[in-house]
Amino acid sequence: METAMYMRREVIGDSKVNVTEQPVDVLPLARAIAEAKNMKDNDEAFMIINLDALYERFKLWKRELPQIEPFYAVKCNSDETMVQALAALGVGFDCASREEIDIVMRMGVAQERIIYANPCKTRSFIAHAEEKGVTMMTFDNAEELEKIAKHHKCPELILRIAVSDPTATCPLNLKFGAEPVKQAPELLKRAADLGIAVIGVSFHVGSGCNDPSAYRVALGHARNLFDLGLGLGHKMEIVDIGGGFPGGEHHTPFEQIAALIRSAVGEFFPEPEVRLIAEPGRFFAARPFTLVANVIAHTAVPAEKITKNACDAAATGHMYYINDGVYGSFNCILFDHAHPTGRPLFDIEGEKYPSTIWGPTCDSLDQIEDKKMMRALDVGDWLIYEVRYICRSIIDRYRTPTIDNRPDDRNLIARSLQDMGAYTCAASTTFNGFQRPTPIYVIGERTWKALGM
Amino acid sequence: MSSSIVLSNNNSNSNSMSMIGQSPPCCSDVPNTPASEEMTRMVKNVVASWEWVPLGKDKVGIIIPADQDHRQVHKSRFVDLLEFCDETMKVKEVIAVFGRADLTVAAGFPRTLRYVGFRVVAPENFPPTLDATTHFAMTYVV
């Protein structure tokens, strides 16, 4: 149905990828696909995966942090076509499970480009890593160290330390990572006593880092531990600066974070022989994904029911139910402090009403948007979604309690429409029966050539 | 632990959990076997207030208070529990079960579990003995 929109089709792995002559323009493409679906009475939600956007993120990384090798955090989004495109660009992979190791190796990625970084490693997972030839893995306590020594013949361990940015959108559990001043040196010594090779130090400042100075503090600790490890006979050669890099617009732009990291790396690790790696997830995965979902049910209600304001009792509000929700692509709402902001796919002028958007499950948690001002929709209409990571204070300001004092939601819709990929498909593609939106992969001719696939 | 465990949204207990002896619309009895007793010991070894129930042939549910503080959970003991479920209980999935009352998914223990590899269970995929309207569940493939 959509072939007329594309120049030709290619294949990445098991997926068909639509190649366009010009760089991909997602909004008109989404509209064309929706119109084609309407002609066929097909109301299934679809996800446009724009590989041009993925390549742009890769180029941005290479421009800002050329000395740091990205190891994509597969848990963020395990879409196999995206993983294969990243593999073609030479990216390494941070895997947190057996399943993720298998996905990445099925894409032809060599085990040397994989780091196994689950914070809670069971014996069977360690044995699986050994069976697959994956040697690089993190550790942060003595029990884990001894378990790896027992169940893996030739591990190359990276000591994970706990240095977290407390202002990060999603700070990591401080239990994940050894305390860097007292506990971490003891672990290096214990590893030396056991004859286990430690090859580096890693940390993770937390997702959505707001205070990039956390990287500098962490790199300072890593330097100390590097020197200590070298003194104990470990062949220290890797510094893993973890993740936490924003996937879209953020309070602290990626460029600003990168500048601080470059400066801190130059200060603490000027030696060119030190291998610097990172574990970006949302940095790559957030932008390329755009969800388009269909309204499958609608109820008109007193606006008061939505705004919770008695003044709105006589006004009309609307509740819409769409065919994707928090147990599918909107999983990021539950865990990731994400606030997806949808809008009707087709621009039609009309009076705006307080509206609530629900997923399809009739579950009280399955709410996607609340107190949203939007024109009236019918069953069968389409909504297009991105994910915005914006200040809580801004969200609160826009969620004012009355109808009259609320700005147009479009003020919140930023330039890009492609921000729906972080911590979404990873949750929605596994064994739990979530219905995944139909994926539609698109790539511009120039990017296709750059991938060299 | 031979009585049935009822998970209730209305319970004032912080973990939304009570134990009563009648057949509930939720979890079945914990069998009285040596492996079950050891499983109980392993669960209590992580956090004393945690409980567990079998959920069908190849799944176990770990019942965790909604307000569980991750700092009170010993990581190595938690990994020991996962290994016990894998190697001794021979289950395919470990399901973390929370009462919905007072549960904060994004800021609470569910978020910690996601980093370990647990994934959300959609209501339509809940084990039949567990009430999806009053509980939140995450599953881990061992």
Side-chain angles (χ1 to χ4, degrees):
Chain A
M1 90 189 143
E2 303 97 32
T3 45
M5 306 168 212
Y6 314 120
M7 195 170 75
R8 67 175 193 281
R9 280 190 166 143
E10 297 282 357
V11 173
I12 296 180
D14 295 330
S15 301
K16 290 174 182 168
V17 178
N18 302 284
V19 183
T20 61
E21 190 169 359
Q22 299 298 320
V24 176
D25 192 350
V26 168
L27 183 57
L29 178 62
R31 286 172 172 164
I33 294 169
E35 284 172 342
K37 281 179 171 284
N38 288 342
M39 298 283 286
K40 291 188 168 185
D41 287 331
N42 178 347
D43 65 356
E44 288 177 2
F46 59 96
M47 186 81 87
I48 296 175
I49 298 105
N50 176 8
L51 298 175
D52 278 1
L54 181 69
Y55 185 51
E56 288 302 315
R57 299 300 282 175
F58 176 76
K59 287 196 294 185
L60 176 62
W61 183 278
K62 286 296 182 187
R63 188 187 76 204
E64 296 294 325
L65 294 171
Q67 72 276 55
I68 298 176
E69 299 172 48
F71 276 58
Y72 172 66
V74 181
K75 62 180 173 291
C76 180
N77 185 325
S78 55
D79 180 275
E80 294 191 12
T81 305
M82 183 179 69
V83 165
Q84 189 138 9
L86 287 168
L89 292 167
V91 170
F93 295 91
D94 155 21
C95 296
S97 69
R98 270 190 284 223
E99 181 191 18
E100 290 177 12
I101 289 176
D102 292 345
I103 287 172
V104 169
M105 294 193 75
R106 203 161 55 234
M107 300 295 118
V109 174
Q111 52 268 51
E112 294 80 19
R113 286 166 61 193
I114 296 172
I115 180 168
Y116 178 39
N118 189 311
C120 293
K121 298 175 189 66
T122 60
R123 283 186 283 267
S124 63
F125 278 29
I126 294 167
H128 182 74
E130 190 201 30
E131 181 189 324
K132 294 293 180 180
V134 175
T135 58
M136 277 200 295
M137 56 183 76
T138 57
F139 79 105
D140 67 4
N141 63 76
E143 293 94 330
E144 193 173 36
L145 183 64
E146 286 162 18
K147 189 191 300 179
I148 292 170
K150 194 171 176 184
H151 296 280
H152 199 297
K153 289 192 183 78
C154 50
E156 296 179 296
L157 297 188
I158 297 175
L159 172 59
R160 180 163 177 163
I161 57 172
V163 184
S164 184
D165 166 19
T167 67
T169 310
C170 312
L172 287 182
N173 182 344
L174 291 180
K175 289 273 191 183
F176 296 160
E179 185 282 318
V181 176
K182 191 161 180 275
Q183 188 186 8
E186 289 170 359
L187 289 172
L188 286 174
K189 185 167 186 314
R190 179 74 182 134
D193 292 343
L194 289 168
I196 302 172
V198 178
I199 61 168
V201 178
S202 81
F203 55 83
H204 194 305
V205 299
S207 299
C209 174
N210 294 316
D211 178 11
S213 66
Y215 286 99
R216 190 178 181 283
V217 171
L219 282 164
H221 286 300
R223 175 78 257 178
N224 292 338
L225 292 165
F226 233 69
D227 293 339
L228 185 64
L230 289 168
L232 289 165
H234 292 298
K235 190 183 170 192
M236 306 293 279
E237 58 188 20
I238 290 180
V239 177
D240 175 0
I241 67 168
F245 308 97
E249 292 172 10
H250 195 259
H251 325 66
T252 312
F254 172 67
E255 289 84 348
Q256 188 178 330
I257 295 171
L260 192 140
I261 290 172
R262 287 195 305 271
S263 168
V265 164
E267 180 181 353
F268 293 109
F269 290 97
E271 315 97 302
E273 63 271 22
V274 172
R275 185 182 179 195
L276 297 158
I277 69 174
E279 299 166 4
R282 79 182 67 245
F283 175 84
F284 285 120
R287 282 287 172 96
F289 290 73
T290 299
L291 175 72
V292 184
N294 197 269
V295 177
I296 56 174
H298 160 244
T299 310
V301 296
E304 175 189 16
K305 192 170 179 181
I306 293 172
T307 63
K308 314 296 183 205
N309 189 316
C311 300
D312 298 330
T316 301
H318 296 276
M319 290 198 179
Y320 299 102
Y321 300 83
I322 65 175
N323 51 3
D324 204 345
V326 300
Y327 297 104
S329 301
F330 291 100
N331 204 248
C332 51
I333 293 174
L334 289 179
F335 286 100
D336 218 28
H337 301 276
H339 303 282
T341 304
R343 62 168 174 165
L345 180 59
F346 295 96
D347 293 326
I348 299 171
E349 288 300 317
E351 187 179 350
K352 292 183 173 58
Y353 300 91
S355 305
T356 300
I357 315 285
W358 296 90
T361 63
C362 301
D363 182 279
S364 60
L365 285 177
D366 200 6
Q367 185 184 75
I368 298 162
E369 292 188 82
D370 191 21
K371 300 175 187 173
K372 172 186 183 65
M373 290 301 288
M374 186 174 69
R375 73 166 170 88
L377 297 177
D378 291 320
V379 170
D381 282 346
W382 298 91
L383 284 164
I384 186 165
Y385 273 93
E386 59 181 344
V387 175
R388 308 304 316 160
Y389 295 91
I390 54 180
C391 297
R392 185 75 242 174
S393 59
I394 295 175
I395 292 282
D396 291 340
R397 179 152 48 89
Y398 276 67
R399 288 184 174 173
T400 46
T402 65
I403 312 175
D404 301 328
N405 186 26
R406 191 175 300 110
D408 188 331
D409 275 346
R410 288 182 192 203
N411 291 340
L412 286 175
I413 296 176
R415 296 185 300 277
S416 168
L417 284 170
Q418 299 115 280
D419 268 286
M420 194 60 207
Y423 297 97
T424 53
C425 294
S428 65
T429 53
T430 49
F431 50 84
N432 289 333
F434 299 132
Q435 182 66 43
R436 188 188 181 192
T438 306
I440 297 170
Y441 300 95
V442 288
I443 187 169
E445 176 70 18
R446 185 178 291 184
T447 305
W448 175 256
K449 286 179 178 168
L451 290 182
M453 302 182 80
Chain B
M1 198 167 75
S2 59
S3 59
S4 300
I5 294 175
V6 173
L7 303 169
S8 166
N9 202 31
N10 300 321
N11 197 305
S12 59
N13 194 335
S14 65
N15 62 4
S16 299
M17 181 177 70
S18 65
M19 295 179 64
I20 62 173
Q22 64 186 36
S23 182
C26 55
C27 309
S28 55
D29 288 350
V30 172
N32 193 11
T33 65
S36 294
E37 287 172 9
E38 180 62 7
M39 175 72 178
T40 301
R41 194 189 66 76
M42 298 292 289
V43 170
K44 299 284 183 190
N45 195 39
V46 182
V47 176
S49 62
W50 288 15
E51 305 276 5
W52 75 280
V53 285
L55 294 172
K57 191 178 68 173
D58 52 9
K59 299 172 185 172
V60 291
I62 308 295
I63 301 153
I64 303 172
D67 59 354
Q68 178 63 55
D69 182 342
H70 66 77
R71 290 168 295 193
Q72 305 303 319
V73 180
H74 194 285
K75 195 174 81 172
S76 293
R77 292 176 189 171
F78 187 71
V79 177
D80 289 344
L81 173 60
L82 294 177
E83 289 174 340
F84 186 82
C85 292
D86 179 9
E87 297 165 4
T88 304
M89 300 300 285
K90 306 286 186 191
V91 297
K92 293 179 179 170
E93 292 180 43
V94 177
I95 299 179
V97 180
F98 299 88
R100 286 202 180 189
D102 303 323
L103 179 67
T104 309
V105 175
F109 196 61
R111 181 169 181 78
T112 304
L113 289 180
R114 195 179 70 157
Y115 281 107
V116 179
F118 281 75
R119 303 257 170 88
V120 176
V121 181
E124 61 266 32
N125 295 311
F126 262 50
T129 50
L130 201 58
D131 183 354
T133 62
T134 52
H135 302 104
F136 180 80
M138 300 176 74
T139 185
Y140 174 89
V141 178
V142 297

